[in-house]
Structures are given as C-alpha cells and as structure tokens.
Amino acid sequence: MDGKERKRRDKSNKNEGEGEGPRTGREIRRPPNESIDDNAPTEEEIKALIEEGVKRLEGFNANEFWGKELEWWISVKKRLENNGLLELVDVVEGINKYIETVMRWYAEHVNTRELIEQLRSHAIVRKYKRSFSVQVREKYVTLIIRKVNGGLAMSLLFKELRGIVFNVPGALSHYEIMLRRGLEGTDAWKEKNRIGMATTHRWQVMLWLALNPGNNYVKIEGIDLNKKRGPKLRWIIYSERESEKERLLELLRDASDAELRAFAWGMVLGDGTISFAKDRNKVKPQILIYYGVKRKYHDYLKQLGFVEGKKRYIITTSKAANFAKTLLSEMPLKLKILFDILEVEKWERLRRVAEFTYNCIIIITLHGTKVCKETKNKEVAENKKKST
C-alpha cells in the first residue's frame, strides 16, 4: 500500500466530498453571486431525489456486489493463465487482494441504514447552474445524488481509503503505444510527472495497466449506484510516466495509416461508440468518436474515412466495415486475446462490423481481404442482369 493519500485532479468532483462527520439541517448552497431564488429546487423536487436515493440504497446488496466483482477478476486471472499472458497474472492477483481489502473496509465503515436516516433528515442540498444535488457527509463516506439530464447520478465516495502501487512488467510494441496514445487523448489527464485516468469500466482498468508498464498507483474511489448500468466501482489510476497528451499532434505527424487506425481505435475505446443504426429498411454499422478538444485530430480521422458530424466523427456502412476489417488484420494477436478475455463490448461490436456487408453490388479482393464495393454504374447493373 502507498502511505500517501493521492488526490485526483478531476474538477468535476471538486469540493463535493469534503468534510467529516454528518451535517445537520437542510440547507441550499448556491454558486457565488447567484440570487437566493434563482432556479432553486422545489421541496417536491428535493423529496423526489431523496426518495429515489433511498430506493437505490435499499436495493443495493453489498455482499452480492463484492462477490460478483471478485468473481470477474478471478475469471480474468484464469483466462490470462490459459492463454499464456502470464506477465499480467500477478497484476490481477494484486487487484483481487486489494478488492478484498476494500471490501473489508466497506463492511467496517459504511452503514447503509445510517446513510438512509441521514439522507431523510439531515441532507445538504447543493445548487448548480442548471441542476442540484443532495448530499450526506459522514466520516468515511460521502453520498452524492445529483439531478442530471432529467435523471439522476448517485455515488458513494470513500474517504481515508488508500490505494496500492503495482509494478506492471513488460515492454510495449509500437502498435500498443499508438493504441495507448488514443486512450490518452480521450480519457487521461496530466499531473506533474505522471498521467491519470479514471473509469468505472473494469476492462479499462486492466487494459490501461497492460499498456502502462512500470509503477501504477491504483485506487478505488467509491461506488456508482446508477439505475441503468447497475452498481460499479469507481477506479482511478496514476501511471508514473511522462504524459504525451500535449505532444500527440506532433507524434502523429509521420504516422502510417495502420498507426492512425490503432490511435483511432484507442479513441473509440476511450470516448466513442460502435452501433448498428436503422437506415430505412436496412441496418448500417457506424463507428463514432465524440469530440471536444479532439477536433484537433480532424485531418487524421478524415484520412481514415471519418466525417465530421454533430459533436462527433463518424464512419458508416462499407467504410466502417472496411475500417474494422483492416484494423483487425493489423492488430497483434496478443491484443486480440486480451480484448476477448476482458469481454470488451466495443471489441465484440467491432468484430460484428468487420463481418458486415451493406448494399454490396460486387465484392472484390484487395490484398487478400474481401471488400464490399458499392458500385452502381450501368456496366455493373448489366453484368448482374446477365448473370441472373
């Protein structure tokens, strides 16, 4: 265990979990210079948020949750052993032991019944510009229930819980470095001489560690109790290496198309989606990367066939299928095995996209790969007619 408490440089949670001990009385805290009656939540809205929070706390089975978490990591360890990825086995074993430590800490310091009582009688209401939250602050945990986009986000944030340092062995191929750069460009931030990443996806925890040999500080920050995805652990990782985030454009300047595809795949894993959308009476595959600061990669994504849409870059139909097929053909076997072991949903969808054919008039073979060519000229139409 690391004896020093590390603090996350994530401003979205800034000042929401500070303080120790329960706060009494209901109060509404607002941003500076905001009038007291400016979009203040009504008593009915506050009560509805509290009751939904109570419902989720009452429905949360901690023993079942921790059991499933350990079960998943144990299965990952076995599959790593069976597939020869032995350099990651000790890392997973260490994560298992750390989860067991956090599980015991949780049983000792978190009392759901007391949280419910505090939520109903002594909750703090915090006002934001377009939303509000209800909070309960105990010595070892802060409960935050926030109204967002018509729904609510709910988290249990742990306090006075330390993380652990893992030394991940191994060295990366250039392909793996490009994949890591894509993830870094979307999901990571720089902090002094290290780089941080936060997630609720356990596959991303393992992938990030596999792509960052050397010392990594890993900490469980809390539990998200969201309705749609179910309860999930909140992880934060600090990797002790120099950040490349500010130099990514420079590093991409001389990259080949294969290297750019690896980079784009990392961006999809970090901040993208793969789906199948309805197009009239058909279904078409689409690969999306959502952008903010990522617009600076416009020229490189355009080079791969992505086009700019509303707050996203997108590649669809046969271009998406060709992108997926080529990406799979270039990816090292070790990474394919790892994605299979981690049961990454985006990976499963990528393989489905690679097998997809859309409106194929003819299929040609290019460098040993079958490619769907959407040609609709007169000659092709006549040849198709003759063949029938």
Side-chain angles (χ1 to χ4, degrees):
M1 293 263 184
D2 192 328
K4 297 180 180 179
E5 187 69 17
R6 315 280 180 110
K7 294 186 178 180
R8 174 182 174 184
R9 188 188 177 188
D10 181 5
K11 296 181 180 180
S12 63
N13 288 331
K14 187 178 180 181
N15 295 329
E16 289 193 343
E18 76 279 17
E20 293 186 354
R23 305 294 182 93
T24 59
R26 183 173 295 174
E27 57 177 308
I28 297 180
R29 298 186 176 186
R30 297 175 174 79
N33 304 321
E34 184 175 302
S35 60
I36 194 166
D37 59 349
D38 184 16
N39 296 320
T42 65
E43 195 65 28
E44 288 75 17
E45 288 177 318
I46 294 171
K47 184 178 179 181
L49 207 64
I50 289 174
E51 289 309 311
E52 177 61 26
V54 169
K55 183 178 178 182
R56 293 190 188 183
L57 284 172
E58 289 177 338
F60 177 58
N61 186 324
N63 290 333
E64 180 181 332
F65 170 75
W66 291 112
K68 286 182 177 180
E69 197 68 28
L70 284 169
E71 182 181 348
W72 188 85
W73 285 99
I74 290 170
S75 69
V76 166
K77 179 188 172 185
K78 290 179 180 178
R79 280 177 278 172
L80 288 171
E81 290 172 336
N82 293 339
N83 286 277
L85 300 184
L86 302 180
E87 67 274 16
L88 297 176
V89 171
D90 287 344
V91 175
V92 176
E93 179 64 27
I95 289 176
N96 271 328
K97 291 179 180 178
Y98 177 57
I99 292 174
E100 289 173 348
T101 299
V102 177
M103 181 174 63
R104 290 191 294 269
W105 181 94
Y106 180 93
E108 184 178 348
H109 294 106
V110 182
N111 187 312
T112 304
R113 188 170 298 176
E114 288 182 3
L115 282 173
I116 291 173
E117 291 175 1
Q118 291 291 326
L119 182 59
R120 282 181 165 156
S121 59
H122 300 303
I124 295 173
V125 180
R126 281 193 71 168
K127 176 71 176 63
Y128 308 99
K129 189 173 182 179
R130 294 188 180 90
S131 183
F132 71 96
S133 71
V134 174
Q135 303 182 12
V136 172
R137 299 175 186 170
E138 298 289 312
K139 182 177 181 180
Y140 295 104
V141 66
T142 294
L143 171 66
I144 301 176
I145 311 169
R146 183 167 180 172
K147 189 172 183 180
V148 287
N149 300 325
L152 65 88
M154 181 170 171
S155 298
L156 282 170
L157 302 181
F158 302 154
K159 295 184 284 189
E160 299 189 19
L161 174 65
R162 296 174 180 175
I164 189 169
V165 174
F166 292 102
N167 186 281
V168 181
L172 300 184
S173 66
H174 190 63
Y175 187 98
E176 291 168 323
I177 291 173
M178 293 301 295
L179 173 62
R180 183 180 72 183
R181 286 171 178 167
L183 269 174
E184 184 172 342
T186 54
D187 265 13
W189 67 89
K190 179 182 177 182
E191 185 169 314
K192 296 182 181 179
N193 62 339
R194 59 183 183 172
I195 183 164
M197 190 277 294
T199 184
T200 58
H201 299 293
R202 48 199 177 193
W203 65 262
Q204 196 167 357
V205 174
M206 191 66 246
L207 180 62
W208 183 267
L209 291 174
L211 294 176
N212 285 275
N215 285 339
N216 290 268
Y217 175 80
V218 180
K219 181 181 177 183
I220 293 174
E221 286 192 308
I223 303 173
D224 278 353
L225 295 172
N226 294 324
K227 191 172 184 179
K228 186 175 181 180
R229 298 188 302 162
K232 288 183 176 291
L233 287 176
R234 294 167 60 105
W235 299 82
I236 186 167
I237 306 174
Y238 287 108
S239 300
E240 294 185 4
R241 64 171 176 86
E242 182 182 354
S243 171
E244 295 181 321
K245 191 160 188 172
E246 295 175 359
R247 299 191 299 117
L248 286 178
L249 277 178
E250 176 189 343
L251 294 169
L252 291 175
R253 195 166 295 148
D254 298 321
S256 66
D257 281 358
E259 292 167 341
L260 288 178
R261 272 186 288 272
F263 179 81
W265 173 231
M267 294 181 77
V268 171
L269 289 169
D271 198 8
T273 60
I274 300 176
S275 62
F276 293 83
K278 288 186 178 180
D279 180 24
R280 297 177 184 176
N281 295 325
K282 300 176 182 178
V283 174
K284 65 177 182 181
Q286 54 185 23
I287 303 172
L288 296 88
I289 297 173
Y290 299 99
Y291 64 68
V293 297
K294 295 177 282 297
R295 292 191 71 175
K296 61 186 178 183
Y297 307 122
H298 172 89
D299 291 341
Y300 298 111
L301 293 173
K302 185 178 178 181
Q303 184 175 328
L304 297 176
F306 285 84
V307 295
E308 187 172 358
K310 186 178 180 181
K311 296 183 179 180
R312 62 189 182 181
Y313 289 101
I314 183 170
I315 187 169
T316 64
T317 60
S318 63
K319 288 184 178 180
N322 292 341
F323 173 87
K325 288 174 186 175
T326 309
L327 180 67
L328 290 175
S329 69
E330 296 164 343
M331 189 178 297
L333 179 60
K334 174 185 172 181
L335 276 176
K336 293 180 181 179
I337 294 172
L338 185 59
F339 285 129
D340 280 338
I341 289 172
L342 298 180
E343 300 173 330
V344 181
E345 185 177 358
K346 292 177 186 179
W347 167 247
E348 296 298 330
R349 291 186 178 187
L350 181 77
R351 294 199 298 189
R352 285 174 57 196
V353 171
E355 297 169 355
F356 198 87
T357 55
Y358 178 85
N359 253 6
C360 285
I361 305 285
I362 59 174
I363 297 178
I364 64 173
T365 301
L366 183 64
H367 303 303
T369 302
K370 288 185 178 180
V371 178
C372 172
K373 187 173 180 62
E374 298 178 71
T375 305
K376 296 185 178 181
N377 56 41
K378 185 177 180 181
E379 181 181 353
V380 172
E382 289 176 351
N383 289 339
K384 187 179 179 183
K385 187 176 181 180
K386 289 177 183 179
S387 65
T388 57

